[in-house]
């Protein structure tokens, strides 16, 4: 392309790649239009895939070593943090953010400081418009939403498992958390069961709707099943977990013992409890709620008491007792 064509060529985006000695890329952002089940803008997904392809092409053209590390999400006590693209080039690691409006620009200003101590500390952006005039900042930690959970199929779920057999449990010990009785997870489970005991059917109906269970298109209040029903879930940080529901034990969350930290479990339960508090409060404003005392709280308190009694007798537990679920991975020939 000639000098004059380059001179008058319309700019497709604004970015700071050249500030880090990286070549420019041409891509016009689609714009933030709607949200998919993970809580991430669906257009972010389309833009991310296109930009990753263009990054690889332009790095190859300039003979620059390039490795994509994909998108990134992390769960904190305050909420969730998300980066559209992370990659390594010229021996340095980068976090690239897609900016669709002024608020995104303000969040980027905060993210630059937030990621400084992380594994990908160099902050890049691509935006449809020039937001260089935006000086203020907004928190780059987003509120947790139940929409952050995705229902996935058996084959996709098994693809997340690294072991031949994977154990899932409501609680398990860690280096910093040897016992259940003084675990933050216990505190969150206590609060969760106490909250939803009177509203198990409502909360179950809420979960079915939010998880986009096939054929569930509006809120309803189903009975909990006699036989345990298990939902395979993909959550923040690409974490695999199970939601199990039955009349005897109520609504339970089981976490991958091999790959999930106890800190993650505590954060997750705290956010789910807050979400349920909001849901029940909102439901009270539109419906007269008929309390239906469930069995979950009774089962949990009885099992927790047995667990704590064992621990206080010096018998440490490998997980919440009588509750571990083991999933075997299908081996392909």
């Amino acid at each position: 392309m000639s000098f004059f064509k380059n001179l008058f060529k319309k700019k497709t985006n604004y970015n700071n790649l050249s500030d880090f000695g990286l070549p420019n890329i041409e891509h016009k952002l689609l714009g933030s239009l709607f949200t998919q089940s993970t809580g991430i803008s669906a257009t972010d997904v389309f833009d991310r895939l296109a930009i990753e392809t263009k990054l690889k092409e332009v790095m190859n053209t300039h003979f620059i070593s390039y490795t994509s590390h994909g998108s990134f999400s992390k769960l904190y006590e305050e909420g969730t943090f998300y980066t559209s693209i992370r990659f390594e080039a010229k021996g340095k690691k980068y976090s690239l953010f897609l900016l669709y409006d002024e608020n995104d620009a303000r969040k980027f200003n905060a993210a630059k400081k937030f990621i400084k101590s992380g594994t990908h500390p160099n902050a890049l952006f691509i935006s449809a418009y020039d937001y260089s005039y935006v000086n203020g900042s907004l928190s780059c930690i987003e509120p947790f939403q139940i929409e952050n959970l995705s229902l996935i199929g058996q084959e996709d779920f098994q693809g997340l498992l690294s072991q031949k057999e994977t154990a899932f449990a409501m609680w398990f010990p860690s280096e910093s958390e040897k016992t259940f009785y003084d675990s933050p997870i216990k505190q969150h489970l206590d609060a969760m069961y106490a909250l939803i005991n009177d509203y198990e059917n409502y909360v179950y109906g809420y979960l079915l709707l939010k998880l986009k269970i096939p054929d569930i298109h509006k809120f309803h209040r189903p009975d909990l099943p006699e036989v345990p029903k298990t939902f395979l879930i993909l959550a923040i940080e690409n974490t695999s977990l199970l939601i199990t529901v039955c009349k005897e034990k109520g609504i339970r969350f089981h976490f991958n013992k091999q790959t999930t930290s106890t800190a993650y479990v505590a954060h997750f339960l705290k956010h789910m409890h807050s979400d349920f508090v909001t849901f029940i409060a909102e439901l009270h404003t539109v419906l007269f709620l008929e309390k239906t005392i469930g069995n979950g709280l009774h089962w949990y308190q009885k099992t927790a008491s047995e667990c704590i009694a064992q621990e206080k007798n010096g018998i440490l537990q490998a997980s919440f007792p009588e509750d571990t679920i083991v999933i075997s991975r299908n081996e392909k020939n």
Side-chain angles (χ1 to χ4, degrees), residues 75 144 148-152 157 160-161 168-169 211 230-236 238-244 252-256 259-260 264-265 268 272 327:
L75 185 66
F144 174 89
N148 294 142
L149 310 182
S150 296
L151 182 72
I152 58 175
F157 189 83
L160 298 170
L161 308 181
F168 291 80
L211 292 174
T230 299
F231 301 96
L232 311 178
I233 303 297
L234 177 64
I236 294 290
N238 231 26
T239 297
S240 56
L241 61 91
L242 308 174
I243 298 177
T244 55
R252 295 172 293 154
F253 298 90
H254 294 82
F255 302 87
N256 187 325
T259 60
T260 312
Y264 182 99
V265 176
F268 181 92
M272 288 302 301
I327 294 183

Side-chain angles (χ1 to χ4, degrees), residues 217-232:
H217 305 296
K218 62 180 181 179
F219 174 74
H220 69 305
R221 203 183 107 199
D223 290 331
L224 273 64
E226 295 285 350
V227 177
K229 187 170 181 59
T230 299
F231 301 96
L232 311 178

Side-chain angles (χ1 to χ4, degrees), residues 4 105 109 228 238 250 281:
F4 290 104
N109 289 340
N238 231 26

Side-chain angles (χ1 to χ4, degrees), residues 44-291:
D44 178 289
V45 175
F46 300 139
D47 282 330
R48 173 167 53 82
L49 293 173
I51 289 169
E52 282 193 293
T53 300
K54 289 178 182 293
L55 277 170
K56 185 177 180 180
E57 289 174 354
V58 76
M59 296 298 179
N60 285 339
T61 300
H62 289 78
F63 303 102
I64 296 172
S65 62
Y66 169 80
T67 305
S68 172
H69 296 163
S71 61
F72 173 77
S73 62
K74 188 166 180 61
L75 185 66
Y76 292 92
E77 185 175 4
E78 301 81 10
T80 60
F81 177 74
Y82 175 72
T83 307
S84 297
I85 300 170
R86 300 204 304 179
F87 66 89
E88 185 171 355
K90 289 186 170 182
K92 292 184 177 180
K93 293 180 179 179
Y94 299 89
S95 296
L96 190 151
F97 299 83
L98 306 185
L99 313 184
Y100 294 106
D101 55 35
E102 289 186 1
N103 281 341
D104 285 344
R106 293 185 179 96
K107 291 173 185 176
F108 174 73
N109 289 340
K112 285 189 289 187
K113 298 177 183 177
F114 188 78
I115 66 173
K116 275 295 181 188
S117 59
T119 58
H120 294 67
N122 300 294
L124 303 174
F125 74 85
I126 294 179
S127 62
Y129 302 99
D130 181 7
Y131 295 123
S132 58
Y133 61 89
V134 176
N135 295 316
S137 63
L138 283 175
S139 174
C140 54
I141 304 295
E142 301 286 351
F144 174 89
Q145 301 176 51
I146 198 169
E147 286 85 354
N148 294 142
L149 310 182
S150 296
L151 182 72
I152 58 175
Q154 180 78 29
E155 188 173 336
D156 290 335
F157 189 83
Q158 291 219 340
L160 298 170
L161 308 181
S162 58
Q163 309 284 331
K164 259 186 116 172
E165 290 190 333
T166 302
F168 291 80
M170 290 171 60
W171 170 84
F172 41 86
S174 66
E175 283 299 318
S176 60
E177 212 172 285
K178 301 292 188 184
T179 56
F180 176 71
Y181 72 84
D182 60 357
S183 163
I185 293 172
K186 177 189 178 297
Q187 297 173 22
H188 294 307
L189 285 171
D190 288 351
M192 178 92 75
Y193 271 98
L195 172 71
I196 67 177
N197 187 59
D198 295 339
Y199 308 103
E200 276 185 350
N201 296 28
Y202 293 99
V203 173
Y204 181 36
Y206 174 67
L207 281 171
L208 292 176
L209 185 65
K210 288 294 184 178
L211 292 174
K212 296 181 169 55
I213 304 300
D215 301 323
I216 304 294
H217 305 296
K218 62 180 181 179
F219 174 74
H220 69 305
R221 203 183 107 199
D223 290 331
L224 273 64
E226 295 285 350
V227 177
K229 187 170 181 59
T230 299
F231 301 96
L232 311 178
I233 303 297
L234 177 64
I236 294 290
E237 296 185 33
N238 231 26
T239 297
S240 56
L241 61 91
L242 308 174
I243 298 177
T244 55
V245 182
C246 68
K247 191 161 285 187
E248 179 193 0
K249 300 178 181 179
I251 298 167
R252 295 172 293 154
F253 298 90
H254 294 82
F255 302 87
N256 187 325
K257 289 180 64 176
Q258 282 89 349
T259 60
T260 312
S261 69
T262 50
Y264 182 99
V265 176
H267 296 337
F268 181 92
L269 292 173
K270 173 181 179 287
H271 291 305
M272 288 302 301
H273 176 264
S274 297
D275 194 285
F276 290 156
V277 167
T278 301
F279 162 68
I280 291 170
E282 288 177 351
L283 211 55
H284 269 295
T285 66
V286 294
L287 291 176
F288 172 76
L289 300 188
E290 178 187 344
K291 290 188 177 182

